[in-house]
Amino acid sequence: MNNHHPELFRRHASNPILTVADWPYPANSVFNPGAVLLPDGTTLLLCRVEDRRGLSHLSAARSANGVDGWQIDPRPTLQGDPENHPEELWGIEDPRITWVPELEKYAVVYTAYTRDGPGVSLAFTRDFREFERFGIVMSPEDKDAALLPHRIGGEWAMIHRPVSAARAHMWISYSPDLRHWGNHKLMLEARKGAWWDANKIGLSPPPLETPQGWLVIYHGVRHTAAGVIYRLGLALFDLLAPERCLRRGEEWIFGPEEPYEVRGDVDNVVFPCGYTIAPDGDTMNLYYGAADTSIARATGSVAAMLQWLEEHGTASQP
Ligand code: BMA
């Protein structure tokens, strides 16, 4: 129990489940993994690996049970390619993975980091060995993006987080061909003042389609005298018009508490980029970066999250 608040996520007893000590080649830190359950039941994490220059690339780790026995690619799986993609000059980060049935491919949406700041890039893969790059789809400064798994009203939809002024909100944009994006809509705003999500918000893992709506786990950032705190909140969006927020939780549901979340290269950060859903259709295994240093797992119930939003969420303004 956490001060009598309902606990929606339970940390795994062997957290952190992956650290740089597990890596088959030298690196500084591993964190913020995208996640998928492959058809054979293998959990694949596409991990952000930061090298000692400070630049990040992505590497795949596969496990039969999603907790241990990880087989980690002996070399970087997907790296910045600044010759062909200048927007990847300073590396690639924070992948969000979506299985797209229409294309029979996984979409990997990641942050491409260059002189003008972070932007959003898109690639497709079937096997996490070969990737087809679409290049940058959202120009800097933008990040925290994921593709929705199917078209809505005939158009593809991508959630992302452009930065314009002091605060930074979640937006959704639409595309007929995955290359040209428009029809931009504000989706969820950072709150103001004292709120836990006052300063910046962004999508964390890809949204989950449920009969009640798109369930979104987002991160909220609060600036304090001691630095920033990254915590997670919940919101629910209309299935047919995902820019329309149906419910938004007021309180954060998961935040840095354990030593590996509180201390690291960046203190006080929990940052999930993916989850797997167990065959029961309800159990969510959330994979998150802890303090920009290691990878941890926490488990929750989708039904419990929806119920919590029903009880503790408020209808957001249109
Ligand atoms: C944000 C994210 C993450 C990182 C976090 C804390 O900007 O994009 O890459 O985990 O900062 O440093």
Side-chain angles (χ1 to χ4, degrees):
M1 286 294 283
N2 164 18
N3 299 332
H4 309 296
H5 283 282
E7 248 193 296
L8 288 175
F9 281 102
R10 213 175 50 252
R11 290 170 174 82
H12 199 277
S14 46
N15 275 351
I17 58 164
L18 278 169
T19 74
V20 76
D22 300 307
W23 239 249
Y25 55 88
N28 171 59
S29 51
V30 297
F31 52 115
N32 301 5
V36 284
L37 200 58
L38 299 177
D40 69 356
T42 301
T43 297
L44 182 144
L45 299 184
L46 192 59
C47 307
R48 171 175 173 190
V49 182
E50 189 184 288
D51 65 27
R52 284 223 200 168
R53 295 172 303 168
L55 276 60
S56 293
H57 61 265
L58 310 181
S59 257
R62 295 170 174 84
S63 156
N65 64 8
V67 173
D68 51 27
W70 296 96
Q71 300 285 322
I72 303 167
D73 280 0
R75 279 176 294 280
T77 307
L78 186 66
Q79 269 183 298
D81 174 17
E83 252 171 54
N84 298 305
H85 292 278
E87 69 276 6
E88 297 180 353
L89 181 67
W90 290 338
I92 60 177
E93 308 176 349
D94 301 357
R96 274 78 166 190
I97 305 167
T98 305
W99 170 249
V100 185
E102 182 184 327
L103 306 174
E104 295 185 346
K105 288 175 194 166
Y106 295 98
V108 182
V109 175
Y110 57 92
T111 302
Y113 193 15
T114 191
R115 293 183 207 282
D116 297 307
V120 175
S121 285
L122 171 64
F124 286 96
T125 186
R126 288 182 201 274
D127 55 8
F128 294 93
R129 296 182 207 282
E130 300 204 352
F131 294 83
E132 180 194 345
R133 274 172 152 98
F134 266 51
I136 191 159
V137 289
M138 302 288 170
S139 57
E141 182 177 338
D142 208 327
K143 56 162 65 171
D144 299 330
L147 184 69
L148 271 57
H150 55 76
R151 298 170 193 258
I152 291 171
E155 302 233 295
W156 299 101
M158 187 179 286
I159 300 172
H160 58 116
R161 204 286 305 278
V163 174
S164 41
R167 292 181 306 141
H169 311 306
M170 280 168 57
W171 288 69
I172 189 163
S173 302
Y174 292 88
S175 171
D177 59 3
L178 295 162
R179 292 189 185 273
H180 304 88
W181 293 88
N183 195 13
H184 312 295
K185 303 243 166 73
L186 182 59
M187 196 174 170
L188 198 70
E189 285 191 52
R191 283 184 273 222
K192 296 180 184 172
W195 282 90
W196 66 273
D197 52 359
N199 300 100
K200 285 198 286 189
I201 61 166
L203 181 73
S204 268
L208 179 70
E209 195 166 15
T210 75
Q212 287 88 336
W214 296 98
L215 178 62
V216 163
I217 300 175
Y218 71 96
H219 59 269
V221 183
R222 184 178 181 189
H223 294 277
T224 77
V228 293
I229 310 178
Y230 277 73
R231 299 189 182 102
L232 305 179
L234 290 181
L236 190 69
F237 296 85
D238 192 293
L239 285 176
L240 300 175
E243 55 275 4
R244 208 163 77 79
C245 183
L246 305 174
R247 312 284 294 172
R248 180 182 192 172
E250 298 209 322
E251 299 186 342
W252 52 269
I253 56 143
F254 194 78
E257 285 172 19
E258 296 296 327
Y260 53 89
E261 299 161 350
V262 168
R263 283 271 167 279
D265 274 6
V266 182
D267 293 349
N268 291 314
V269 179
V270 290
F271 201 94
C273 291
Y275 50 74
T276 58
I277 302 291
D280 65 10
D282 183 60
T283 306
M284 176 186 279
N285 295 310
L286 187 69
Y287 291 93
Y288 61 99
D292 283 13
T293 298
S294 63
I295 292 173
R297 174 173 129 151
T299 298
S301 149
V302 174
M305 286 183 247
L306 291 169
Q307 181 65 28
W308 182 88
L309 268 176
E310 195 55 43
E311 289 166 10
H312 300 269
T314 50
S316 202
Q317 71 277 24

